[in-house]
């Protein structure tokens, strides 16, 4: 399995198609913004492949010393076959020299999909991510932060958003109480 930086038109097409079906509308950034941040060098957009077959996508945001796995998805037809674990491991290795972390929707909030959220959290914990006991509120949604061999305080965590999107978004990145 390997990560390929999205540069070809067919890479972008496959990534965009999966992005649009894998994430709810309220969780999607405008795709043009992701492409812009990629061009600016503040985001990496990965076409994940194995044996020349598209497996999934990884979209990261970076700041000095930090990498946030912002979006990660495996093609629906391939889920449950170990591809997600392998792809996450490759991403973790890609960024082994930096603090690598991600956010998941809180399992502590009342919601219609608590089982799905719990399965997602268990997947990440089984695959080397650890609870950082940090809760953030991003644009009105409570998110738990999981890290890979790292520990971050909120002030350091939020620098990824400030570095990538500027001070304007900081009013939408808040520390929340971890239960």
């Amino acid at each position: 399995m390997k990560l390929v930086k999205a540069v070809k038109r067919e890479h972008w097409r496959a990534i965009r198609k999966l992005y649009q079906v894998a994430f709810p509308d309220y969780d999607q950034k405008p795709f043009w913004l992701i492409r812009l941040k990629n061009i600016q060098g503040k985001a990496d957009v990965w076409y994940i492949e194995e044996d020349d077959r598209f497996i999934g996508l990884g979209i990261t945001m970076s700041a000095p010393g930090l990498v946030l796995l912002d979006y990660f998805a495996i093609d629906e037809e391939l889920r449950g076959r170990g591809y997600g674990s392998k792809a996450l491991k490759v991403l973790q290795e890609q960024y082994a020299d930096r603090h690598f972390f991600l956010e998941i929707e809180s399992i502590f909030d009342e919601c219609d999909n608590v089982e799905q959220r719990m399965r997602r959290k268990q997947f990440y914990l089984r695959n080397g991510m650890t609870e950082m006991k940090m809760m953030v509120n991003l644009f009105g949604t409570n998110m738990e932060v999981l890290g890979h061999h790292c520990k971050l305080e909120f002030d350091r965590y939020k620098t990824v958003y400030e570095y990538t999107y500027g001070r304007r978004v900081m009013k939408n990145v808040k520390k929340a109480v971890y239960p």
Side-chain angles (χ1 to χ4, degrees):
M1 181 165 297
K2 65 181 180 177
L3 303 175
V4 178
K5 289 233 180 177
V7 290
K8 296 179 181 177
R9 183 171 289 156
E10 60 264 24
H11 292 168
W12 285 105
R13 249 189 249 124
I15 289 166
R16 184 180 190 142
K17 182 178 176 185
L18 179 56
Y19 176 78
Q20 290 174 332
V21 298
F23 302 100
D25 290 344
Y26 67 84
D27 195 30
Q28 292 182 23
K29 292 177 180 69
F31 203 70
W32 65 264
L33 183 59
I34 291 169
R35 290 192 72 159
L36 175 65
K37 295 304 169 181
N38 182 64
I39 291 166
Q40 293 172 342
K42 295 181 178 185
D44 290 327
V45 179
W46 298 105
Y47 178 92
I48 304 170
E49 69 176 19
E50 185 170 78
D51 300 325
D52 296 322
R53 180 179 182 186
F54 177 64
I55 301 298
L57 66 84
I59 301 172
T60 62
M61 295 188 322
S62 299
L66 301 172
V67 174
L68 168 64
L69 180 56
D70 201 19
Y71 295 97
F72 176 64
I74 300 300
D75 185 281
E76 285 182 288
E77 294 177 12
L78 302 174
R79 291 180 192 160
R81 299 184 193 175
Y83 289 108
S85 296
K86 288 178 12 181
L88 183 59
K89 182 176 170 83
V90 173
L91 283 160
Q92 291 164 336
E93 290 168 355
Q94 175 70 29
Y95 297 109
D97 62 333
R98 295 182 248 172
H99 291 293
F100 181 79
F101 59 100
L102 56 87
E103 305 142 341
I104 57 171
E105 288 178 308
S106 173
I107 63 168
F108 303 108
D109 291 348
E110 280 192 39
C111 61
D112 295 335
N113 67 338
V114 71
E115 295 86 11
Q116 179 187 44
R117 290 180 183 194
M118 291 173 76
R119 281 193 313 273
R120 184 176 299 125
K121 184 174 183 176
Q122 288 307 311
F123 165 80
Y124 285 117
L125 294 176
R126 272 193 321 273
N127 286 285
M129 303 303 289
T130 57
E131 293 182 88
M132 297 180 77
K133 306 290 187 202
M134 183 190 315
M135 184 81 69
V136 296
N137 185 285
L138 297 176
F139 295 86
T141 301
N142 285 331
M143 308 288 277
E144 294 179 59
V145 181
L146 305 178
H148 185 254
H149 301 300
C150 70
K151 180 149 178 59
L152 294 174
E153 297 300 322
F154 177 75
D155 287 340
R156 179 92 167 107
Y157 153 86
K158 70 181 182 178
T159 61
V160 163
Y161 285 94
E162 185 171 4
Y163 182 81
T164 304
Y165 296 107
R167 290 191 176 272
R168 291 187 319 261
V169 302
M170 297 316 295
K171 67 179 185 268
N172 296 303
V173 180
K174 301 173 187 165
K175 188 172 184 174
V177 177
Y178 190 87

